[in-house]
Amino acid sequence: MQQKHFNKYKYLGLNISYYRKAKKLSQIKLAELINISRTHMSRIETADCAVSLDVIFDICDILEIPAEKLFEIRD
C-alpha cells in the first residue's frame, strides 16, 4: 500500500469494522465467511495492509451492503 493512500485505507478499515459490528459478527467469523485468516481481517481493519477488490466485494456480500458504503469518509 502506498503511504499517500493510508487515510483512505484507514477509513475503509473503520467502515468494515463498523458494519461488521452492526451485523454482530466477530473478526474471526467474518474472516471465516470470506475465507481469509483472522489476522488478515485484523490487518485490513487497522489499515496495516492493502486489500483486493475481491475481498472487499466478499465482505460487502456478507455484510449485505453496497461497496460504496465502505468508502464513505465520515467525520
Side-chain angles (χ1 to χ4, degrees), residues 1-17 40-53 55-56 59 70-73:
M1 146 182 29
Q2 294 181 11
Q3 191 62 30
K4 70 180 183 178
H5 296 302
F6 177 77
N7 283 336
K8 294 171 189 162
Y9 278 98
K10 183 176 79 172
Y11 282 109
L12 174 67
L14 289 170
N15 286 334
I16 291 170
S17 177
H40 190 189
M41 188 74 250
S42 174
R43 293 184 69 213
I44 292 169
E45 287 188 4
T46 60
D48 192 36
C49 69
V51 58
S52 73
L53 284 175
V55 170
I56 288 173
I59 290 170
L70 295 183
F71 294 97
E72 290 179 349
I73 297 177

Side-chain angles (χ1 to χ4, degrees), residues 8-68:
K8 294 171 189 162
Y9 278 98
K10 183 176 79 172
Y11 282 109
L12 174 67
L14 289 170
N15 286 334
I16 291 170
S17 177
Y18 173 82
Y19 289 108
R20 173 181 59 75
K21 290 173 183 175
K23 281 284 197 183
K24 299 189 184 332
L25 292 173
S26 66
Q27 280 185 348
I28 294 170
K29 187 61 179 174
L30 180 56
E32 287 173 357
L33 292 170
I34 62 171
N35 201 30
I36 64 172
S37 71
R38 194 233 21 110
T39 304
H40 190 189
M41 188 74 250
S42 174
R43 293 184 69 213
I44 292 169
E45 287 188 4
T46 60
D48 192 36
C49 69
V51 58
S52 73
L53 284 175
D54 288 338
V55 170
I56 288 173
F57 294 150
D58 288 343
I59 290 170
C60 290
D61 290 346
I62 297 300
L63 298 179
E64 300 176 315
I65 58 170
E68 58 266 20

